[in-house]
Amino acid sequence: EAGVAQSPRYKIIEKRQSVAFWCNPISGHATLYWYQQILGQGPKLLIQFQNNGVVDDSQLPKDRFSAERLKGVDSTLKIQPAKLEDSAVYLCASSPRGVNTEAFFGQGTRLTVV
Amino acid sequence: AQSVTQLGSHVSVSEGALVLLRCNYSSSVPPYLFWYVQYPNQGLQLLLKYTSAATLVKGINGFEAEFKKSETSFHLTKPSAHMSDAAEYFCAVTSGAGNMLTFGGGTRLMVKP
């Protein structure tokens, strides 16, 4: 079974530029998450999708971050414009339908804003 | 609201020694608890999970954790550390139908030869 795929693995941009990350979850997983992991900290949930609907985006900085899940499968996370404090690893995860099921994580995209 | 506290951001043990990584949680409803491991430049991999069945949970790579409701703890242990156990370990909690994981700050385990 293929895992969660993310691209790119690494990205360096200048502040005020825009950037987009892509995630392809495990086939058949209804739930998709984007987490932000700042160096030295635990992952923090940015947004959760159930199929193509948003379940929780309360911690997403909506003035600069946006996310969508196309047809309930792939997802993109965009930052525009980026700030220095956005430097982090962005992790995508997916889980099957059900309560308290295991989340499977991708390898992440390491973003450096200079 | 739910939260997780991991005591000790860095833990160092000798190879062959006991590993103990501490995790305390706060949850307003019965929690589901998880331990994940993260190797350098990798995503998170599930070690084990507690889902209200047995309070002693066995995971991969010889790790286990015990759920203690009275202490609101879910500490991770391994009897004998191996060099390959060196990694970052995260405790996480979820509760309710949302399945949203709340992570602790992580503990970096270092294993000395």
Side-chain angles (χ1 to χ4, degrees):
Chain A
E1 178 181 77
V4 176
Q6 290 188 247
S7 67
R9 286 295 312 278
Y10 305 91
K11 190 74 176 179
I12 301 174
I13 63 172
E14 295 182 348
K15 59 183 180 184
R16 292 187 289 275
Q17 285 187 324
S18 63
V19 65
F21 313 128
W22 174 81
C23 173
N24 180 234
I26 293 173
S27 177
H29 280 192
T31 307
L32 185 147
Y33 315 81
W34 282 102
Y35 285 86
Q36 180 193 57
Q37 186 179 17
I38 293 173
L39 185 65
Q41 299 181 17
K44 182 187 80 172
L45 180 71
L46 291 175
I47 189 167
Q48 177 186 354
F49 293 94
Q50 181 79 15
N51 297 312
N52 60 353
V54 175
V55 174
D56 188 318
D57 63 356
S58 58
Q59 298 193 76
L60 187 73
K62 297 179 186 63
D63 58 333
R64 298 184 300 106
F65 286 65
S66 64
E68 61 180 0
R69 189 176 184 193
L70 306 172
K71 300 179 181 178
V73 183
D74 292 5
S75 177
T76 56
L77 176 69
K78 297 179 181 178
I79 307 175
Q80 181 180 11
K83 293 184 176 181
L84 295 177
E85 59 261 37
D86 298 331
S87 294
V89 175
Y90 291 84
L91 295 165
C92 180
S94 68
S95 64
R97 193 179 302 275
V99 177
N100 298 310
T101 54
E102 175 188 348
F104 294 80
F105 285 80
Q107 291 186 301
T109 296
R110 181 178 298 277
L111 173 67
T112 303
V113 183
V114 298
Chain B
Q2 54 196 30
S3 65
V4 175
T5 301
Q6 292 184 240
L7 294 175
S9 59
H10 293 79
V11 170
S12 180
V13 301
S14 297
E15 191 173 20
L18 171 71
V19 175
L20 171 61
L21 305 182
R22 300 178 184 274
C23 171
N24 288 89
Y25 70 92
S26 171
S27 177
S28 57
V29 297
Y32 283 64
L33 294 155
F34 303 77
W35 275 99
Y36 281 85
V37 61
Q38 187 176 36
Y39 297 100
N41 297 316
Q42 298 293 318
L44 280 74
Q45 178 185 1
L46 182 70
L47 273 179
L48 50 81
K49 62 180 178 182
Y50 167 75
T51 58
S52 75
T55 56
L56 183 62
V57 181
K58 294 188 183 298
I60 62 172
N61 301 338
F63 284 93
E64 63 181 34
E66 185 173 9
F67 172 70
K68 293 186 176 180
K69 184 178 179 180
S70 61
E71 299 178 7
T72 61
S73 68
F74 190 57
H75 301 332
L76 181 71
T77 60
K78 181 174 180 177
S80 177
H82 193 272
M83 296 297 290
S84 61
D85 295 326
E88 187 101 24
Y89 292 81
F90 293 95
C91 182
V93 63
T94 184
S95 52
N99 289 352
M100 292 166 284
L101 286 166
T102 298
F103 285 89
T107 298
R108 181 168 298 279
L109 175 66
M110 295 167 283
V111 182
K112 299 175 291 185

